[in-house]
Amino acid sequence: MEGQAEVNGVKLWYDVTGEGEPVVQIHGAGFGHFNFAPATPELAKHFKVVDYDMRGYGQSDRPDQHYEMEVWADDVAGLLDALGIDAAHVHGTSMGGMIAIVFAGKYPQRTTSVVINCAAAKLGLAGRLTFKNWIDIARLDPDGPGSRILAELIAWQALSKRFLETPDGVAAIDTIQQILRDSNSIGPFTAACQAMCDMDLRGWLPKITSPALVLGGDEDLMTPWDQGPDGAGQEAIYQGIPGAEKHVIRGSNHSTIFDNTAEHNRVVIDFYQRHSAG
């Protein structure tokens, strides 16, 4: 079921596949719903999966406005309202994992369980420089967010060395560039990067009362488990959520969905099934 919903003053594109308990998937910065392309078909065998393009991306409205994680978290709640869903499992990756932290903390009664994948609660200086570079390239390159330089940078920042050496890894660079070009406008793209640089989500962590899984790769360069003394990475998220579980995928970088798809999907499906609303 594909459509558009009016949510908090904008139109959001969505696609619903599968049957069962609902799972809403929150994508990362720059990538739109394509972020979950390797996961959705497998999850949809077990759940009703809601994919969508967030405000500022893809086929949804892309207003130039102030962006922060709470804006997008409120949109998740509004989209669930529009679809008649009271509560859902949440699957957030990268910036989507950051939004998932806020959603689960602000809307505990609507969060059946939450998977926080390859995220951070606060970026250290190295993390802030990563997204400052994204902003600079998008502004300086005539191709904007569709820059080949940016696509190549994101490829080695997000994909494991092992995966990049395969034909699928080499082809992924072209795919990344196409998605960045087709799913982004310069205003929302740079605003999202700045929102990640400015955020401090540590206060939301103890407010999460639903079952939570922190899931990431041991080679993550973009949002490492340790963000340094000024940040709060994946380990800090795990430590900050009461009763949280964690799973480290060996040999994965920032995109476990792509460079270790089978293990990522197996772990996520098992977690949701163990924490079924029924």
Side-chain angles (χ1 to χ4, degrees), residues 54 57 131 142 183 194 211 267:
M54 294 193 299
Y57 294 98
F131 296 108
S183 297
Q194 190 62 51
V267 170

Side-chain angles (χ1 to χ4, degrees), residues 121-206:
K122 184 178 187 291
L123 297 177
L125 179 57
R128 296 194 297 274
L129 287 174
T130 295
F131 296 108
K132 181 181 182 300
N133 288 341
W134 288 24
I135 292 171
D136 292 342
I137 293 170
R139 286 177 173 167
L140 292 171
D141 193 310
D143 289 330
S147 162
R148 181 68 179 184
I149 297 170
L150 182 59
E152 291 173 348
L153 178 66
I154 290 174
W156 74 258
Q157 287 177 333
L159 299 171
S160 69
K161 295 184 287 292
R162 176 191 53 78
F163 182 75
L164 275 174
E165 294 290 348
T166 68
D168 286 344
V170 174
I173 301 173
D174 291 332
T175 302
I176 290 170
Q177 184 180 16
Q178 179 181 349
I179 292 171
L180 290 172
R181 181 178 61 240
D182 295 345
S183 297
N184 291 276
S185 304
I186 186 70
F189 178 84
T190 55
C193 293
Q194 190 62 51
M196 287 186 284
C197 291
D198 295 341
M199 72 179 183
D200 185 348
L201 309 180
R202 290 175 294 181
W204 289 106
L205 298 175

Side-chain angles (χ1 to χ4, degrees), residues 1 5 14 16 48 50 78-85:
M1 182 179 68
Y14 66 86
V16 181
K48 179 167 73 174
V50 179
L79 179 60
L80 294 181
D81 288 340
L83 295 176
I85 298 172

Side-chain angles (χ1 to χ4, degrees), residues 207-221:
K207 297 179 180 180
I208 297 175
T209 56
S210 63
L213 171 66
V214 181
L215 172 64
D218 64 337
E219 298 180 8
D220 195 327
L221 296 173

Side-chain angles (χ1 to χ4, degrees), residues 235-255:
E235 184 65 26
I237 296 171
Y238 165 66
Q239 295 288 345
I241 300 174
E245 302 176 28
K246 76 173 178 180
H247 184 93
V248 181
I249 297 183
R250 305 297 173 186
S252 270
N253 191 348
H254 182 70
S255 188

Side-chain angles (χ1 to χ4, degrees), residues 5-61:
E6 288 276 355
V7 174
N8 299 330
V10 297
K11 291 181 180 178
L12 298 183
W13 176 91
Y14 66 86
D15 187 34
V16 181
T17 53
E19 297 180 355
E21 293 185 9
V23 174
V24 61
Q25 303 198 117
I26 312 173
H27 63 77
F31 283 85
H33 71 280
F34 301 104
N35 227 161
F36 291 101
T40 295
E42 193 63 32
L43 267 66
K45 295 176 183 178
H46 307 273
F47 307 100
K48 179 167 73 174
V49 179
V50 179
D51 283 305
Y52 75 109
D53 288 333
M54 294 193 299
R55 174 191 302 254
Y57 294 98
Q59 299 177 67
S60 294
D61 287 346

